[in-house]
Every structure is written in C-alpha cells, then in structure tokens.
Amino acid sequence: MKRRRLISILTVIFVFLGLLLVRVALWVPETFGDIPFEQVIFHLLVPLVGTDTSFVDSFIQECLPLPSIVSGLFLILCILKDWQVGKDIKNGEFKHKTYNTLIIITTVACLFIFGFGVTDCIHAVGIDQYWYNIAHPSKIYEEYYVDPASVKYTFPEQKRNLVYIFMESMETTYEDYDNGGAFEESLIPELNLLANQNLTFSYGNKDNNGFYVPSMSGWTAAAMVGQTSGVPLNIPIDANGYVSEDSFLPGTYSIGQILEANGYQNELLIGSDGGFGGRKFYFKQHGNFNIVDYYTAIKNGWIDKDYRAWWGYEDLKLFEFAKTELTRLASVGQPFNFNMLTADTHFVGGYPCSECEDLYGDQYSNVIRCSSKHVTELVQWIQEQPWYENTTIVLAGDHKCMDSDWFKNIEASGYTRKCYYAIVNPAIQPETQKSRKITTYDLFPTTLASLGVTFNNDRLGLGTNLYTQTPTLIEKLGYKKLDKELTRHSNYYDKYILYGKGKR
C-alpha cells in the first residue's frame, strides 16, 4: 500500500512539473522575448525588491492553471485507483499483472511529460546555448578590449556638465518610415525632431538610425553597464557572490569613475528602488554616485510614504524631481554628471500617467508618445537654464522592449530594431560625416568625447569613439559575429573584469 501511494504521489509531481515546464517554455519567450540565459542568471543573483509584480501575476495566470488542473485530475484518479485496489485486495480480486501494467504505462507517460517539459524549457530559456558558449570561449577581449584605466584623459579648462537620460525601452522603431522607423506615423515625433536637429551619427542614413543592442546588454542593469563602461554583463552560473554591496564588476573603469577623479558630482535619479537589479551597487562602486531613488523621494517629502505607482512613482513626477536636482547640482559650483532613468515605457503595456492621451487606441503606443513629449520638454527646460551653455545632454534608450507580442508583426516583416540615441550640445564635432553603425558600447567613449575630453586611444572597453574615423566593432565584425562573440565565455572577462583579479 505504501509503495502504491508513493508511486501515486510521484506521478502527480512529475505530471505537474512536466506541464509547468512546458508552459514556462511558452511563457518566457512570449513575455520577455528572446532573452539570453545569462539574463535569467543575473536576476536570480541580484535583489528583486521593487520589481513590478505584473510578471508574477502573468506567471500565475499563464503557467499554473493547466498543470494544476491536469495534476489535480491525476491525483483524483490515483486516489480512486488506490481505493479500488484496496477494495479488490479485500475481496480477493486483485490482479498483480494488470496492476503492474498500469503502473508501467502511467510511469512511462509521466516520465515522457516530464522529459518533454525539461527539454522544451532548456531550449526556450537558452540553457543549451549557454553551455555551448561556456564550452567555446571567445578571444574578443584579448583582441579588441582597451582597459579604460590604462588610458590618459585630458579635460578642458572649463569642464562641461553631463545630463544622461536613460529612456526605458525607447527604440527608433517607433519612428515613421521616412526616419527609418516601422510606423506610418511616428509615435515619438518630439524625439524625432530632437534627433534630426542634433547629433545621431546617422547623417540621413535611415538604416543607421539608433544603436544596436547586443544580447548581453539587453536589460536595464546590463544596458547601464554597457553604456557607461563599454562592456557587457556576462555572468557565469557559479558567480554567487559577484553582485553585492561590495562587489559589482570590480575590473571595470567607468565614465563615473573618470569624472569623479576629475572633480565631478555624480548622481543617479530613478523612480524605483535603487536596489533592484543591483543598480545602486554598480553606480556606488563606479563613481560614488548619489542615488536618488523611490525611498529618497519619500525621505525628502516629495511623495507620501504610502504612495506607490508602477515601479515606485511615475515619470511625470520623475521629470519634476529632475529639475529640482539639476538646479541644486548647478548651484554647488562643481561640474556635475546627472543620470536619470525613465520607467513608464517598461513592458507590459507601460504606465499611462494622468497626462497620457488616447491617440492610438492601444495603451503602450499612448505611453510611448507621452514619454517622447515629457523627455523633450525636460530637454527644452534644460536649454532654458543659465548653465545649459556648458552642458551636454545624451539621450539613449536603455534596451529594446521585451514585449514580444507587441512587436510580433514588426519583427515578422524583417525590420531590424534599434534603440534611440541623440547628443544635444556636444563640445566637439565628428571628424567625418560618414554614417556610423553603433552598439551600446560605443556610447561610453563617445559620451566622454562629447564633453571635450581627449584621450590617447580611439577605443575604451569594447566601444569606439564615434567622433574619430576608427571603425566600431560592429562595422569591423558585423552584428551577428560580434553578438556571438559577446555571448561566449571569456576567461579574460571573468578574471580581469568580472572579478577584477590581477593586472591586464
């Protein structure tokens, strides 16, 4: 009897887990798109406090019902079967051969469901590709990486301020056809105009509007690292202690550190919990940034302690707080590096604030347009300030949107999605007006050069200074090869960048 009950329990467990994995294999790409397994590992290792709970709700709604119902039915059948077997034994009618045949059929069926679920999930989440990348290491760092700490930097006599706006999921995809986008009518006309009136390095080539986002920089924390340090965020599965208050890519040397060493005030403004994704760890350790997050807003009395919207507070408030912080920073008398991150355009569906208009019939399109309007209004406000003349503004999408369903038809058409990028009021002009192919990593040295800083190398990290004529890595290798190399394991990256061991 005990053996029968054990078999019944295992049957139910294997059916539930197998079907759950099948559903997860469908849910992950539908919800997050084609994400690398490294991104999954990263979010397992870092704090998830402050995250949007809609992901959990989606998981419960999409993944749990089918396995719960089917395994529940199996449980009922097992209970009825055990009851019938007990009754047959009592009446002397139990047939071992028939019962054993049923056990074998049931066991094989359950193992098949479980095995199929495991295999399907491994492929969907990218575990198979991850192990392939581990087994086939890359030499890209040995060949192309330039350690920013080994480069000499010369600042102008009057140091320029930097305002860097990371825009959540902001793509050039949202532009109209004439500007290289995927829509008949632009969803971001204000940002369109801003880009056309300022520096994008595309010079009219609509195929080069925006920048490519490699796999290892396709989520917010990784995008911030890539744009400010010129390296991807590539985490081995055994790196349990690597993201912490004391250690976050200790081998990188970022723009925050370069500016801090030259007398800048560094600040990061975000409307969510700074601990989410380890962001405050990175910025604190790479430039000693003042982190002004959701909890800071409560502490400062900007919002009520019980107030919460979306990830913390909405961007409508974020832009107003940005004006407060920029005014304060400008009054100190030191050059400043002010970074901020928007969030309303995060998937799924975005957050419609009180000023969002229903212009397009779907929420996400309306939120995108609203963000375009508010970002542009902030830029215009900055341009009206007395300190603007000596300030450079960088606008950059952090990564491509992960709402695969919203982009289904766009990607099916073969359109290549890229992120928005524009520099307003740079200190210098490019050496050539040749249209450039750009990735996340090129923004790091280019931002520094935009401040009038000169350095004795055209490349920092894996990024290329776009003001020079030196080819970017994507121009040299092509996107597919570059992306493949970046996803592969690198002993150099692990030793010198991830763990910061030894000398380069």
Side-chain angles (χ1 to χ4, degrees), residues 4 8-9 11-12 15 69-85 99 102 106:
R4 287 199 304 274
S8 297
I9 292 171
T11 297
V12 173
V15 168
I69 292 170
V70 175
S71 59
L73 291 174
F74 259 86
L75 178 61
I76 293 171
L77 290 174
C78 288
I79 292 172
L80 291 175
K81 182 186 68 176
D82 287 348
W83 174 78
Q84 184 62 48
V85 168
Y99 177 73
L102 288 173
T106 303

Side-chain angles (χ1 to χ4, degrees), residues 28 139 144 157 165 173 179 232 254 345 359 391 415 495 499 502:
V28 168
K139 294 292 183 181
Y144 297 110
E157 183 176 347
I165 305 177
T173 308
N179 285 286
S254 73
T345 45
L359 300 174
T391 299
Y415 180 86
K495 181 177 180 180
Y499 293 111

Side-chain angles (χ1 to χ4, degrees), residues 16-203:
F16 177 82
L17 291 177
L19 291 175
L20 178 63
L21 291 172
V22 170
R23 289 303 305 158
V24 167
L26 294 172
W27 176 74
V28 168
E30 286 177 356
T31 305
F32 300 100
D34 185 20
I35 63 171
F37 185 60
E38 287 83 354
Q39 182 174 342
V40 177
I41 295 173
F42 176 80
H43 284 100
L44 290 174
L45 295 175
V46 300
L48 290 177
V49 291
T51 187
D52 174 29
T53 58
S54 64
F55 301 115
V56 178
D57 296 337
S58 174
F59 175 82
I60 293 172
Q61 293 170 11
E62 298 293 331
C63 297
L64 292 183
L66 179 64
S68 298
I69 292 170
V70 175
S71 59
L73 291 174
F74 259 86
L75 178 61
I76 293 171
L77 290 174
C78 288
I79 292 172
L80 291 175
K81 182 186 68 176
D82 287 348
W83 174 78
Q84 184 62 48
V85 168
K87 182 180 177 182
D88 290 345
I89 291 174
K90 186 176 180 180
N91 297 331
E93 300 173 356
F94 180 66
K95 298 179 180 179
H96 285 281
K97 186 175 181 180
T98 302
Y99 177 73
N100 289 339
T101 301
L102 288 173
I103 287 291
I104 293 172
I105 293 174
T106 303
T107 301
V108 171
C110 293
L111 289 175
F112 175 79
I113 293 172
F114 181 72
F116 180 79
V118 169
T119 304
D120 201 26
C121 195
I122 285 174
H123 178 69
V125 179
I127 298 175
D128 51 348
Q129 185 63 48
Y130 174 80
W131 286 116
Y132 175 87
N133 294 336
I134 291 291
H136 299 81
S138 171
K139 294 292 183 181
I140 190 170
Y141 293 92
E142 288 86 344
E143 295 177 13
Y144 297 110
Y145 179 75
V146 174
D147 178 15
S150 68
V151 175
K152 181 181 178 181
Y153 303 95
T154 303
F155 280 71
E157 183 176 347
Q158 185 179 17
K159 296 171 182 174
R160 295 178 70 81
N161 305 312
L162 173 62
V163 176
Y164 201 112
I165 305 177
F166 294 96
M167 298 180 291
E168 172 63 47
S169 303
M170 188 57 71
E171 302 187 24
T172 50
T173 308
Y174 311 138
E175 297 178 345
D176 54 29
Y177 299 137
D178 291 341
N179 285 286
F183 291 85
E184 185 174 344
E185 177 187 350
S186 176
L187 301 182
I188 52 171
E190 298 85 3
L191 287 175
N192 264 154
L193 183 61
L194 204 56
N196 291 337
Q197 293 176 341
N198 293 282
L199 183 60
T200 63
F201 298 98
S202 62
Y203 296 107

